[in-house]
Amino acid sequence: MGRRRTPELYRAPFPLYALRVDPSAGLLIAAGGGGAAKTGIKNGVHFLQLEQINGRLSASLLHSHDTETRATMNLALAGNILAAGQDAHCQLLRFQIHQQKGKNKAEKAGSKEQGPRQRKGAAPAEKKSGAETHQEGVEFSVENLHEVQTDFSRDPLQKVVCFNHDNTLLATGGTDGCVRVWKVPTLEKVLEFKAHEGEIEDLALGPDGKLVTVGWDLKASVWQKDQLVTQLHWQENGPTFSNTPYRYQACRFGQVPDQPAGLRLFTVQIPHKRLRQPPPCYLTAWDGSTFLPLRTRPCGHEVISCLSVSESGTFLGLGTVTGSVAIYIAFSLQEVLLCGCCCCCVLGLLL
């Protein structure tokens, strides 16, 4: 008897590159696309309503926003503002959702006589922006705020974007190895410095203003503005003493439960080169003040592609390049759930 298939939460009509959850509004935001190639695959950002129905998580499409010829490869969320990485650019989007109230009986009867509600994408104003609203009784709008080029390599690509703790600043990194920090929402540049030789793979902004960056040069660095504070030293003291070099794939700050001032940094280390018999990947917790390692655990032989920390700091989520997902307890790095299907199925646990 085969393994029971997990119910599907959502299927995107385009390659899916970025997901964000807004717990306060119960929104799942999904983005991706086919890029500039004329393959017929659209580029867009989908806004979905998350609900618990009979004990199961359900997602219904509220709104789709057309991003024209650019696929969104990475996202950051600050309230109702999205920072979307599209090729070498970052675009700020503001979304607003309103529940319609006070329809009288005549309006309701009229809407029934007219048949199914038409998508707002058919209206001239919405069609121009490529937006569509799909749920009855909901008004949803997306506004393009500002856009700026954030990467300037020969083949420029913004790879990562994140907001600071009070959402006043935005940090970006990409293939040219430079960190750039921008004011929100004007996208006025306030800081730029070279952080890595080669691509920046991930970055994280702490509440004390410190910035952690990881790159393809096998380094993980801690910065205060553009000044190097320290570097993380995992390979030298890690559990593997082989000749296989590891690089840092992801980094995230997380709160320490029951300690308001406590802070942890979590990183993922993966083999720098693909081997026929791949060594394990590792998950490591660091002290958020001293940046000394607290504990490290192997997390399987599948290559880890992304890391997420729950808002409470209790759980860690790992995704692999093959599509499997695992959930770990942040304090002990003990695995509590392994799922071989799409990462959407564990979003409810991380909310």
Side-chain angles (χ1 to χ4, degrees):
M1 186 175 180
R3 184 172 58 184
R4 186 174 63 180
R5 184 179 179 87
T6 304
E8 187 174 281
L9 180 65
Y10 161 72
R11 182 181 292 272
F14 42 67
L16 194 57
Y17 295 119
L19 291 172
R20 284 294 178 269
V21 174
D22 180 359
S24 62
L27 287 179
L28 167 63
I29 302 169
K38 296 181 179 180
T39 60
I41 300 176
K42 289 186 176 182
N43 302 299
V45 180
H46 280 188
F47 297 83
L48 301 105
Q49 186 73 57
L50 290 176
E51 298 175 294
Q52 288 280 354
I53 300 178
N54 297 326
R56 289 187 176 183
L57 195 63
S58 173
S60 56
L61 181 62
L62 290 179
H63 188 81
S64 62
H65 178 72
D66 189 354
T67 57
E68 300 177 352
T69 61
R70 294 178 181 171
T72 298
M73 305 297 292
N74 42 82
L75 279 177
L77 176 64
N80 68 336
I81 293 181
L82 277 176
Q86 300 168 353
D87 300 331
H89 296 78
C90 184
Q91 185 171 49
L92 286 189
L93 306 171
R94 178 188 285 132
F95 62 90
Q96 293 183 326
I97 181 171
H98 302 282
Q99 297 289 337
Q100 294 179 345
K101 295 180 181 180
K103 273 193 171 185
N104 58 39
K105 293 182 179 180
E107 286 176 319
K108 291 180 180 179
S111 63
K112 289 180 181 179
E113 291 173 1
Q114 292 168 4
R117 178 180 177 175
Q118 298 297 315
R119 293 180 177 178
K120 288 189 176 179
E126 293 287 3
K127 189 173 182 180
K128 184 177 181 181
S129 65
E132 296 180 355
T133 300
H134 293 257
Q135 185 163 316
E136 186 73 31
V138 173
E139 289 184 353
F140 201 110
S141 63
V142 178
E143 175 188 3
N144 294 329
L145 294 179
H146 296 283
E147 179 184 325
V148 67
Q149 185 170 350
T150 59
D151 195 75
F152 294 87
S153 64
R154 180 174 296 179
D155 296 312
L157 176 67
Q158 177 181 297
K159 298 196 70 176
V160 60
V161 57
C162 71
F163 289 94
N164 67 341
H165 70 288
D166 61 1
N167 301 329
T168 59
L169 296 174
L170 182 72
T172 60
T175 56
D176 64 3
C178 289
V179 170
R180 295 175 176 90
V181 180
W182 316 82
K183 285 185 179 180
V184 177
T186 62
L187 291 184
E188 175 190 349
K189 186 166 62 178
V190 297
L191 184 65
E192 177 179 347
F193 63 95
K194 183 76 170 180
H196 292 272
E197 296 299 326
E199 300 181 9
I200 293 177
E201 192 64 36
D202 201 4
L203 55 80
L205 277 165
D208 59 355
K210 287 189 174 65
L211 172 69
V212 177
T213 62
V214 300
W216 275 69
D217 56 5
L218 312 187
K219 295 179 181 179
S221 303
V222 182
W223 308 86
Q224 189 74 54
K225 294 187 177 179
D226 58 351
Q227 299 300 308
L228 181 65
V229 175
T230 186
Q231 289 186 337
L232 305 185
H233 298 283
W234 180 85
Q235 181 89 11
E236 297 87 340
N237 305 302
T240 174
F241 300 96
S242 68
N243 294 324
T244 302
Y246 277 72
R247 65 178 174 86
Y248 299 88
Q249 169 68 16
C251 57
R252 289 289 183 275
F253 281 105
Q255 295 181 350
V256 179
D258 303 323
Q259 296 183 27
L263 192 65
R264 293 284 185 268
L265 175 71
F266 300 96
T267 62
V268 167
Q269 295 78 230
I270 67 173
H272 186 54
K273 295 182 179 179
R274 301 287 181 92
L275 302 174
R276 181 171 295 180
Q277 294 182 339
C281 299
Y282 289 90
L283 176 63
T284 302
W286 309 75
D287 185 282
S289 299
T290 65
F291 296 99
L292 295 175
L294 299 174
R295 59 188 61 87
T296 190
R297 296 283 189 275
C299 51
H301 293 267
E302 294 184 67
V303 177
I304 304 299
S305 59
C306 59
L307 165 67
S308 180
V309 183
S310 65
E311 188 174 357
S312 65
T314 305
F315 296 106
L316 307 176
L318 296 181
T320 71
V321 295
T322 59
S324 63
V325 168
I327 304 298
Y328 289 77
I329 298 174
F331 173 75
S332 62
L333 303 187
Q334 178 184 354
E335 185 180 26
V336 294
L337 176 67
L338 176 65
C339 181
C341 51
C342 172
C343 61
C344 286
C345 67
V346 295
L347 283 172
L349 184 57
L350 289 177
L351 285 177

